[in-house]
Amino acid sequence: MTEFPLPTNLVHSAARDRHDRRRQWVARLPATVATIATAWGLRLDDPFQPGGETSWTAPARDAADQDLVLKVAWTHAEAEHEAEGLLHWAGNGTVLLHATHLEDDTCALLLEHARPGAELGRSLPEPEQDVVVSGLLRRLWAAPPRGHAFRPLADMCDQWAAEQEATPPLSALDPGIVRAGIALFRSLPREAGRSVLLL
């Protein structure tokens, strides 16, 4: 890595952000990534492109030449307990988490490098794809541990519904359908028969 490359999606999402916090975080990324890479003894490649909207994620190798991924993320509500979730799943349907570091508005995760295989949509007919996805979901829908701090989906849906209610509706949408959708968004998470972790 010569100069510090940024994922396209991260650059665009930071530019669209109404607040300066994410743009300031992106401006500090070169120093943040360098500090974390030094602390964990990592050699880094360029980040994955186009990347995500809230993280800088790149292939990495440690001192033992282990093939890993470094994810340096801007902390936000939807990803608040990502590390705890990965620890709980322990590689059962997810990548393994090797290390984590949380500081101010940054969460760094050192992850197993999952190599993509054949795209599901190109390798199996649609009914068989559903079988694969539902099998993976059964593995991921694990009961949260006792005394967990994971935020309930109902709380997240309430927040998203409130944001939608505060946003002027798109003229193409029927206001009655929008109201019904928001009501379902608030009620459906409360009707679940059990609590499980969601990816």
Side-chain angles (χ1 to χ4, degrees):
M1 223 172 42
T2 49
E3 57 184 76
F4 192 81
L6 290 169
T8 307
N9 287 342
L10 178 60
V11 171
H12 291 160
S13 67
R16 288 190 313 266
D17 201 327
R18 293 187 308 259
H19 309 289
D20 287 335
R21 285 179 42 231
R22 193 171 353 175
R23 284 190 290 279
Q24 292 167 358
W25 179 83
V26 169
R28 294 191 310 269
L29 258 179
T32 303
V33 169
T35 299
I36 293 166
T38 299
W40 285 343
L42 301 175
R43 298 185 314 278
L44 302 173
D45 287 334
D46 287 343
F48 297 108
Q49 292 288 358
E53 295 192 358
T54 59
S55 69
W56 186 94
T57 307
R61 289 197 172 272
D62 64 8
D65 209 34
Q66 187 176 9
D67 195 14
L68 301 163
V69 167
L70 174 63
K71 179 177 181 179
V72 179
W74 177 62
T75 55
H76 58 288
E78 285 84 358
E80 186 178 357
H81 298 289
E82 182 179 10
E84 292 90 339
L86 289 170
L87 282 172
H88 185 66
W89 281 310
N92 185 20
T94 65
V95 293
L96 285 169
L97 175 64
H98 292 280
T100 184
H101 176 76
L102 183 63
E103 185 173 338
D104 298 327
D105 53 2
T106 300
C107 178
L109 305 175
L110 189 58
L111 305 164
E112 171 186 19
H113 192 162
R115 296 283 179 190
E119 288 183 34
L120 187 58
R122 295 181 183 205
S123 58
L124 290 174
E126 198 164 314
E128 293 177 43
Q129 294 174 34
D130 294 341
V131 172
V132 172
V133 171
S134 62
L136 178 59
L137 288 175
R138 276 191 212 97
R139 292 166 63 189
L140 291 173
W141 287 348
R146 215 183 248 287
H148 69 85
F150 296 112
R151 182 170 44 161
L153 179 62
D155 291 356
M156 292 178 74
C157 287
D158 285 347
Q159 178 187 340
W160 294 332
E163 289 170 5
Q164 182 59 46
E165 288 168 334
T167 303
L170 297 173
S171 58
L173 297 178
D174 179 288
I177 292 175
V178 171
R179 282 192 302 276
I182 290 171
L184 285 171
F185 214 52
R186 290 185 186 280
S187 65
L188 287 176
R190 290 172 170 80
E191 296 174 9
R194 63 187 177 124
S195 294
V196 295
L197 289 181
L198 300 175
L199 186 60

